[in-house]
Amino acid sequence: MAGHFEPLPGGGAAAPLDEVEISILRSLAVQLMELIGPGEEPAEGDDPLAALFTEGPSEPPSDPALARLFPDAYGGPDEVPDDATHAAAAEFRRYTENDLRTRKREDALAVVRALDALGPVGGARRTDDSDAAAQEGTVDGAVLRLKPDESRQWLGALNDLRLAIGTRLEVTDEDESGELLRLPDSDPRKPMVMAYLWLGGLQESLIETLTA
């Protein structure tokens, strides 16, 4: 897996993706949405406007990966907060986590939709200009093209995926990447490690297109 993003004239980014990369990215994005959860939807007959003011949770998630995606706003992960810090973090979370979850779900959904817009790999190209992403067929893949706003959504989703996978791998320092790469192929963590490193390359190249 060696795909990386290149800047497009006028903004946006493009990356060649083969069939395996498309499948992996889509699967990971779907898993991320499942991890984040469906969110609080208003029940039938409820006022949709009232849902905008629904308070969220006041405590961090128990799942370590979710806790990494939704950390406390005050105090560090290794700190034991005093009562005042804990109260401030709980208050901030209560009024922000629902919106943050919604944004993260939308970022992951943007990834799925962009990949689905590529159509069957190696098949006919879609020509609808309203598609979120256009593709050019290659021998065994496609070229993903993103508009600037879509690029930012992809960047958010790639970052969230790396945070979640890194938590599962118990990565605490980027310097550990070299050690992870040296894991034997027989190690059950190796596929997740390769995905983690590959996502890092995609993320870095996408950042470069946005800052070019």
Side-chain angles (χ1 to χ4, degrees):
M1 296 182 290
H4 64 278
F5 285 96
E6 296 285 350
L8 288 174
L17 299 172
D18 64 30
E19 185 175 4
V20 173
E21 291 170 333
I22 293 170
S23 177
I24 290 174
L25 275 172
R26 192 186 190 287
S27 176
L28 289 174
V30 169
Q31 291 179 58
L32 179 61
M33 288 192 292
E34 292 174 348
L35 175 66
I36 294 171
E40 296 295 333
E41 299 292 339
E44 186 176 355
D46 285 354
D47 182 1
L49 185 61
L52 296 176
F53 301 96
T54 301
E55 294 184 5
S58 58
E59 296 297 327
S62 57
D63 185 307
L66 280 175
R68 187 71 179 88
L69 293 177
F70 305 101
D72 278 335
Y74 304 101
D78 299 323
E79 298 179 13
V80 178
D82 57 28
D83 291 344
T85 301
H86 181 270
E91 187 75 0
F92 187 85
R93 180 182 296 277
R94 184 177 298 116
Y95 293 107
T96 60
E97 184 170 311
N98 282 347
D99 287 342
L100 185 57
R101 282 179 179 263
T102 297
R103 181 177 64 78
K104 289 181 181 295
R105 281 194 300 272
E106 290 174 348
D107 288 348
L109 183 58
V111 171
V112 173
R113 285 174 171 166
L115 296 173
D116 286 350
L118 296 177
V121 174
R125 177 180 178 180
R126 292 190 179 187
T127 58
D128 184 356
D129 291 336
S130 66
D131 283 340
Q135 61 92 13
E136 295 174 355
T138 63
V139 174
D140 58 354
V143 177
L144 174 74
R145 296 178 182 274
L146 302 173
K147 299 173 184 177
D149 58 331
E150 295 160 354
S151 295
R152 287 186 285 272
Q153 286 186 297
W154 268 68
L155 185 60
L158 290 173
N159 184 64
D160 289 342
L161 282 170
R162 291 196 79 237
L163 288 175
I165 294 174
T167 302
R168 297 293 192 234
L169 292 171
E170 299 182 343
V171 174
T172 58
D173 192 315
E174 286 296 327
D175 291 338
E176 295 180 13
S177 296
E179 297 180 13
L180 292 172
L181 191 57
R182 290 189 290 272
L183 289 175
D185 292 342
S186 59
D187 193 301
R189 296 172 294 171
K190 192 61 177 283
M192 192 180 296
V193 167
M194 299 308 295
Y196 175 78
L197 298 176
W198 173 57
L199 291 171
L202 279 177
Q203 181 183 17
E204 183 177 353
S205 66
L206 186 52
I207 290 173
E208 291 175 353
T209 69
L210 292 173
T211 57

